[in-house]
Amino acid sequence: MLNLQGLDHLVLRVVDLDAMLRFYVDVLGCRVERRQDEIGLVQLRAGRSLIDLVPVSGKLGRMGGAAPGVEGRNLDHFCLRVEPFNAEEIHAHLASHGVDAGKTESRYGAEGEGPSIYLSDPEGNVVELKGPPGALP
């Protein structure tokens, strides 16, 4: 039996690396941890996990086939745990960066039922921001 501990990393194949870096670093607060430009890989720290950005024009990206888009996304969505979770502050922060986010709803996640907000990054990947278990404010 495997003893899984959580999400280590995920990889997004991207068309516009600069726009994606602005979103994940400036808007969501990730930080660039490691770059391997020779193969086309930027690794962003998101708490205990990593989000890897792989430009489709780079060495790694070309191995993945067609670029992601409305008709060919790489994944449905991924969820980032946020704490503290203040929905009003999160919505205000996102709006200040021109990000249109969905309303705060209660959804089930790894730690149970709790508040979450869906939004999309610049290339249409759906990101869920999830708060701790508990009722909506």
Side-chain angles (χ1 to χ4, degrees):
M1 180 73 132
L2 297 175
N3 184 17
L4 302 179
Q5 300 297 307
L7 180 67
D8 181 84
H9 73 278
L10 62 88
V11 180
L12 293 175
R13 296 177 64 247
V14 305
V15 175
D16 186 341
L17 180 61
D18 291 335
M20 295 293 272
L21 282 170
R22 282 191 302 274
F23 179 79
Y24 285 98
V25 173
D26 298 343
V27 177
L28 294 187
C30 295
R31 67 175 168 75
V32 176
E33 179 159 311
R34 189 166 164 245
R35 288 187 79 120
Q36 292 184 293
D37 292 322
E38 64 281 359
I39 63 170
L41 172 65
V42 179
Q43 294 179 291
L44 306 176
R45 175 61 58 184
R48 292 185 303 250
S49 302
L50 292 175
I51 299 171
D52 295 354
L53 302 179
V54 176
V56 296
S57 60
K59 183 177 180 179
L60 289 177
R62 285 190 304 269
M63 294 188 304
V70 176
E71 298 300 319
R73 296 184 344 194
N74 288 329
L75 60 97
D76 180 72
H77 79 278
F78 66 93
C79 181
L80 298 171
R81 177 67 156 74
V82 178
E83 193 168 346
F85 190 94
N86 181 311
E88 288 181 11
E89 288 179 7
I90 292 169
H91 277 281
H93 172 75
L94 294 171
S96 75
H97 287 279
V99 176
D100 184 32
K103 65 181 182 174
T104 305
E105 296 187 25
S106 185
R107 294 183 176 93
Y108 192 80
E111 298 177 12
E113 192 78 25
S116 84
I117 300 169
Y118 280 3
L119 55 132
S120 294
D121 72 16
E123 295 193 3
N125 296 296
V126 178
V127 179
E128 179 182 0
L129 302 178
K130 183 86 170 69
L136 290 172

